[in-house]
Amino acid sequence: MRTQVAIIGAGPAGLLLGQLLHRHGIDNIILERQTPDYVLSRIRAGVIEQVAVDLLDEAGAGERMHREGLVHDGTQILADGVRHRIDFRELTGKTVLVYGQTEITRDLMEARAACGAPSVYEVEDVSLHDFDGHKPRVRYRKDGRETEVECDFIAGCDGFHGVSRKSVPSDHIKTYERVYPFGWLGLLSDTPPVSDELIYVRHSLGFALCSMRSPTRSRYYLQCSLAEDIDAWPDDRFWSELRMRLDRDARDKLVTGRSIEKSIAPLRSFVAEPMRFGRLFLAGDAAHIVPPTGAKGLNLAASDVRYLSQAFIDFYMSKSTAGIDHYSSRALARVWQAERFSWWMTTMLHTFPENSGFDQKLQRAELDYVFRSKVAATALAEQYVGLPF
Ligand code: APR
Ligand code: PHB
């Protein structure tokens, strides 16, 4: 079998890349380890930057997102009992769209099925070969049969645990990592959101976040210890802990109900450099992870895909290798900005078990600066809505 670009992984990064390439007449195949249903069962964040919205439109997968997504002009920060608003529109002229990333994956899957581009789900033992030469190949097994795909390029869009990054010899790759000493316990429920805007909560009991998927579906998070057992968190306990971290207004408005999903996720910052090895290119979670506090995971994957799709398009349409040659440095410059922002939001809003009194005072001073200074609030807003390219 032969294709131009072999894409490993059918998460948002792989699917978006596949659609953009297909629209420019570039052949590609997507190889995914899981079933489509499994891919769609993963619950992810739900805040989309304008640049990611534009890219989904360009991929022909934005129609439902515009119909059902909620435009948010700002966000709220509730710090030690007092609420502040960051007005994105006033400070930056921009907004974000609240729309579940699971729904984005679904829309991209449907767009791909509609155009008939090939995807192979439930592949086993994917292996990458000769990407340091001119004729890379990908091998996989499906239903017991081995297949080899010859291609011009391989796009490793297979997430943090994927095979692509691990295929690079260890002396060619450098990784940077910070693991945070807590996790997020998330709950999804078919209840109306407590507020029209997201509320990020700093509280001595730990961080909390009130988010949403639609006017009738809410998503809440609580900072929790990494040793926490999900079975020790029946819904009632979750709601009463959340209530304690909210202010009076939110407590009065909070509508509780049965959870439809509940899970614990650890928080991590991670970057692998470079993002290109010969004819293998990493994109999305395969190359970097951010803690979810700034909602940058999918947005960063989309920005990698923007650079990478353009690089391939330039290569095939005008024989230019400039985009390919600069992919890693361009993508990494943006990745590190998002890493810094996500680390900063996480550090400012969470309770760190090892923090001294001095650290806590600094944290509070940092927040007060954001609340009192228009310049500081603008810096937060500018990064939250997405830095320009
Ligand atoms: N072979 C084939 N597919 C694989 C392999 C493998 N060896 N390993 C992993 N995969 C698949 C996973 O099953 C998954 O569907 O690759 C896909 C990677 O998808 P994501 O983990 O969602 O990564 P990415 O597409 O980069 O997502 C970017 O979007 O939803 C957000 O927060 C999420 O930050 C993430 C961002
Ligand atoms: C979510 O809705 O799941 C969400 C929103 C904002 C974040 C993280 C997660 O910062």
Side-chain angles (χ1 to χ4, degrees):
M1 191 193 291
R2 167 145 188 97
T3 190
Q4 290 174 302
V5 182
I7 301 173
I8 322 293
L15 288 166
L16 183 57
L17 178 65
Q19 273 327 92
L20 291 167
L21 296 183
H22 180 79
R23 292 206 135 203
H24 284 84
I26 300 170
D27 275 353
N28 63 88
I29 185 170
I30 297 185
L31 305 174
E32 165 61 50
R33 180 165 62 178
Q34 306 288 354
T35 63
D37 282 348
Y38 183 93
V39 171
L40 288 174
S41 69
R42 291 191 292 236
I43 310 270
R44 297 284 179 65
V47 177
I48 321 295
E49 295 174 5
Q50 188 58 49
V51 286
V53 169
D54 293 345
L55 210 58
L56 286 155
D57 283 337
E58 218 178 297
E63 197 256 327
R64 190 165 68 101
M65 173 181 68
H66 286 289
R67 211 167 358 103
E68 296 180 11
L70 308 168
V71 175
H72 279 210
D73 290 345
T75 195
Q76 320 227 341
I77 300 180
L78 168 59
D80 305 320
V82 182
R83 221 168 310 171
H84 302 263
R85 179 161 191 270
I86 308 286
D87 191 325
F88 302 146
R89 198 190 279 278
E90 185 202 316
L91 295 167
T92 68
K94 293 185 189 159
T95 58
V96 291
L97 197 66
V98 170
Y99 184 66
Q101 293 181 11
T102 313
E103 300 313 310
I104 288 184
T105 310
R106 192 189 308 278
D107 295 344
L108 284 164
M109 271 181 181
E110 284 175 8
R112 188 160 181 93
C115 70
S119 313
V120 190
Y121 284 85
E122 296 180 83
V123 296
E124 292 172 277
D125 291 336
V126 170
S127 57
L128 283 52
H129 305 272
D130 301 335
F131 49 82
D132 51 349
H134 282 280
K135 289 192 172 159
R137 288 167 297 118
V138 177
R139 282 197 206 122
Y140 66 90
R141 189 153 32 81
K142 162 94 180 166
D143 299 331
R145 233 189 65 211
E146 302 278 345
T147 301
E148 183 171 283
V149 183
E150 286 177 18
C151 55
D152 299 329
F153 301 105
I154 304 173
C157 302
D158 47 352
F160 183 66
H161 300 286
V163 64
S164 300
R165 192 182 66 250
K166 291 178 194 145
S167 306
V168 177
S170 57
D171 55 342
H172 285 60
I173 192 164
K174 185 159 169 54
T175 59
Y176 301 85
E177 185 168 38
R178 170 151 307 174
V179 176
Y180 299 86
F182 41 72
W184 278 17
L185 168 61
L187 179 148
L188 190 68
S189 64
D190 278 330
T191 52
V194 69
S195 150
D196 290 345
E197 293 182 336
L198 270 61
I199 312 176
Y200 287 85
V201 186
R202 177 194 196 257
H203 192 283
S204 55
L205 291 171
F207 170 82
L209 172 61
C210 305
S211 183
M212 67 194 73
R213 292 288 175 271
S214 74
T216 55
R217 182 168 285 186
S218 301
R219 179 76 168 154
Y220 295 101
Y221 297 96
L222 294 173
Q223 177 185 344
C224 66
S225 129
L226 282 171
E228 211 58 72
D229 174 6
I230 192 83
D231 293 333
W233 284 89
D235 294 353
D236 286 349
R237 181 174 175 208
F238 185 98
W239 294 119
S240 67
E241 180 66 32
L242 177 63
R243 231 182 239 112
M244 283 194 274
R245 301 185 193 187
L246 298 179
D247 59 0
R248 173 101 190 257
D249 182 56
R251 262 199 295 273
D252 289 348
K253 289 195 179 124
L254 182 68
V255 181
T256 62
R258 197 176 56 79
S259 64
I260 50 178
E261 195 267 353
K262 212 165 17 181
S263 52
I264 295 177
L267 269 67
R268 179 198 302 270
S269 297
F270 173 88
V271 182
E273 291 193 358
M275 287 169 62
R276 175 205 176 178
F277 311 89
R279 288 181 170 250
L280 166 63
F281 297 79
L282 302 181
D285 279 15
H288 42 73
I289 298 284
V290 284
T293 324
K296 289 289 171 237
L298 178 123
N299 293 301
L300 212 45
S303 96
D304 291 350
V305 166
R306 187 175 185 270
Y307 292 122
L308 189 55
S309 57
Q310 200 53 55
F312 289 148
I313 293 163
D314 289 350
F315 177 84
Y316 287 111
M317 303 301 145
S318 47
K319 304 234 178 317
S320 162
T321 59
I324 283 173
D325 293 338
H326 293 123
Y327 169 69
S328 180
S329 58
R330 282 187 183 144
L332 281 166
R334 203 173 157 83
V335 165
W336 278 111
Q337 289 298 322
E339 289 287 343
R340 199 204 65 79
F341 177 64
S342 307
W343 160 84
W344 177 62
M345 289 283 279
T346 303
T347 311
M348 190 165 62
L349 293 168
H350 287 74
T351 306
F352 284 72
E354 76 275 15
N355 266 8
S356 64
F358 183 80
D359 295 321
Q360 287 167 26
K361 288 283 185 188
L362 282 186
Q363 203 182 22
R364 186 61 238 193
E366 182 94 43
L367 265 173
D368 285 340
Y369 185 48
V370 170
F371 298 149
R372 287 189 196 145
S373 154
K374 191 168 178 183
V375 174
T378 307
L380 190 156
E382 182 186 42
Q383 295 176 86
Y384 196 94
V385 301
L387 290 172
F389 275 89

